[in-house]
Amino acid sequence: MQEIARGAKAAKRPEGSRPKWVKTFLRYRWLYLFMVPGLLYYIIFHYVPMFGLVVAFQDYNLMKGVWGSPWVGFDNFRTVFSSPDFLVLMKNTIILSVYRIVFNMFPDLILALMLNEIRVRWFKKWIQTLTYGPHFLSWIIVYGIVFSFFAPGSGLITNFIRDLGWTPIDVLTSSEWFRTLLLSTDIWKSTGYGAIIYLAALAGINNELYESAAIDGAGRWRQMWHITLPGVRDVFILLIILRLGNILDAGFEQVYIFLNVRVYDVGDILDTWIFRRGIEQLDFSVPAAVGVFKSIIGFVLVILANKLAKRFGGSGIW
């Protein structure tokens, strides 16, 4: 009887009658299973919190919550754009972000090219360790190092300049030097780690191209210009697109730690203003409106940069 029942079921569902998507799912079921933790992470920590965007359109009150807070429409956005500090904040944020994009990407690429040319393995590993190390230091520690060198009246370099008979420069509280200080410390901290992406791209270049170029008489500089740089072009463009999407994120942690009252005119950015207004003053609606504004600008810039990259021969993001 069991054999007859199995035969009847097989007759009702002939082999190959399953939909194509079912076959694909069953074939790659273990790969889909491995995707579940990553999907859950993005759903829980990236998509579910997007519901909080409604706070930007409310006069949010902690006691009333999201459902009980009154709806105010675009009043929070009007408050942001009419603020006398908004233009200064936007100017400082864009300047610092552009500085990071322009001056931070080339040291990463140059370091990767230099490491790629080193043939002595122990020396290459030593340089990599030396340049990667600062990335794992927190900005608090970096500020402590900088303070020990440039502290007014007691810094190592400050005292050295004074001993030479020169007038010491108060780097930490000088509006002229503050952006330079931020940029230089960021380059020192992130260059080694940023070079890893370019080293991975360089590892993917076919060695036969270099062998063919050497046979044709091309030297190391010619090989770098015609093979190495084109080999990392798409990665370079991709990183530019991603950084343009975060152009209104000027490095909150670093700026907040280095910031002081005397350099607000050149160092105060949108994120530090949001922090002071949201955390210190417990006003969450206006900072949420700034977050929505930043997201829209970043989204538009990513779309435009991706189209420009494809127009000029790059692969883009999609």
Side-chain angles (χ1 to χ4, degrees):
M1 292 297 294
Q2 293 179 353
E3 293 178 0
I4 295 173
R6 285 196 296 267
K9 290 181 180 179
K12 291 180 181 179
R13 189 180 60 190
E15 187 176 355
S17 63
R18 290 174 176 172
K20 186 177 181 179
W21 68 271
V22 175
K23 295 179 182 179
T24 304
F25 178 80
L26 292 175
R27 182 179 180 182
Y28 298 106
R29 59 186 180 276
W30 297 114
L31 296 179
Y32 290 130
L33 182 62
F34 285 126
M35 290 174 58
V36 170
L39 291 175
L40 290 177
Y41 166 78
Y42 278 99
I43 291 173
I44 295 173
F45 295 103
H46 290 269
Y47 286 96
V48 173
M50 289 178 66
F51 172 74
L53 293 178
V54 298
V55 174
F57 304 93
Q58 295 178 324
D59 183 10
Y60 181 73
N61 187 293
L62 279 174
M63 303 302 296
K64 296 179 180 179
V66 175
W67 302 110
S69 299
W71 190 269
V72 296
F74 292 94
D75 287 352
N76 293 319
F77 293 90
R78 296 189 187 98
T79 301
V80 173
F81 298 142
S82 61
S83 173
D85 299 327
F86 178 73
L87 292 179
V88 177
L89 295 171
M90 281 292 296
K91 175 185 175 183
N92 293 337
T93 302
I94 293 176
I95 289 177
L96 288 176
S97 296
V98 171
Y99 281 175
R100 290 174 185 273
I101 294 174
V102 174
F103 295 105
N104 277 28
M105 294 193 66
F106 289 102
D108 297 351
L109 178 59
I110 293 172
L111 178 61
L113 294 175
M114 294 173 62
L115 291 173
N116 190 57
E117 295 297 322
I118 297 176
R119 296 294 178 261
V120 183
R121 295 190 62 181
W122 68 266
F123 183 70
K124 181 178 181 179
K125 291 182 178 180
W126 184 80
I127 294 295
Q128 286 178 316
T129 303
L130 188 64
T131 54
Y132 294 172
H135 171 77
F136 300 98
L137 300 177
S138 68
W139 280 115
I140 291 291
I141 296 177
V142 174
Y143 179 77
I145 296 173
V146 173
F147 187 83
S148 65
F149 280 98
F150 296 102
S154 60
L156 181 63
I157 295 180
T158 303
N159 290 333
F160 178 74
I161 293 175
R162 183 185 294 107
D163 293 339
L164 292 177
W166 301 339
T167 302
I169 302 174
D170 194 356
V171 177
L172 298 175
T173 58
S174 172
S175 297
E176 297 179 358
W177 288 92
F178 184 72
R179 290 172 179 167
T180 303
L181 178 65
L182 292 179
L183 184 62
S184 58
T185 52
D186 188 54
I187 291 175
W188 174 75
K189 187 175 186 296
S190 62
T191 296
Y193 190 80
I196 294 177
I197 300 177
Y198 292 108
L199 287 173
L202 291 172
I205 299 177
N206 192 346
N207 287 327
E208 293 181 358
L209 297 175
Y210 293 104
E211 295 174 0
S212 300
I215 293 173
D216 292 337
R220 299 300 300 177
W221 287 105
R222 284 290 181 181
Q223 293 178 27
M224 180 182 297
W225 183 260
H226 294 287
I227 299 176
T228 305
L229 292 179
V232 298
R233 182 188 62 179
D234 290 343
V235 175
F236 187 82
I237 294 175
L238 174 63
L239 293 177
I240 288 180
I241 295 174
L242 295 177
R243 293 197 179 194
L244 283 176
N246 297 319
I247 194 169
L248 295 183
D249 295 326
F252 163 75
E253 185 179 356
Q254 180 195 17
V255 176
Y256 183 75
I257 291 172
F258 281 78
L259 192 64
N260 57 76
V261 178
R262 297 182 63 179
V263 294
Y264 267 21
D265 57 331
V266 296
D268 198 16
I269 59 176
L270 286 172
D271 287 342
T272 54
W273 182 79
I274 289 173
F275 182 84
R276 292 197 304 273
R277 182 134 188 174
I279 303 300
E280 298 177 1
Q281 301 179 20
L282 297 180
D283 181 6
F284 300 102
S285 298
V286 173
V290 177
V292 173
F293 168 72
K294 290 172 55 180
S295 300
I296 294 173
I297 296 298
F299 177 75
V300 172
L301 288 175
V302 167
I303 298 295
L304 294 177
N306 188 68
K307 289 184 177 181
L308 288 175
K310 288 185 175 181
R311 178 169 296 183
F312 290 100
S315 59
I317 299 179
W318 62 87

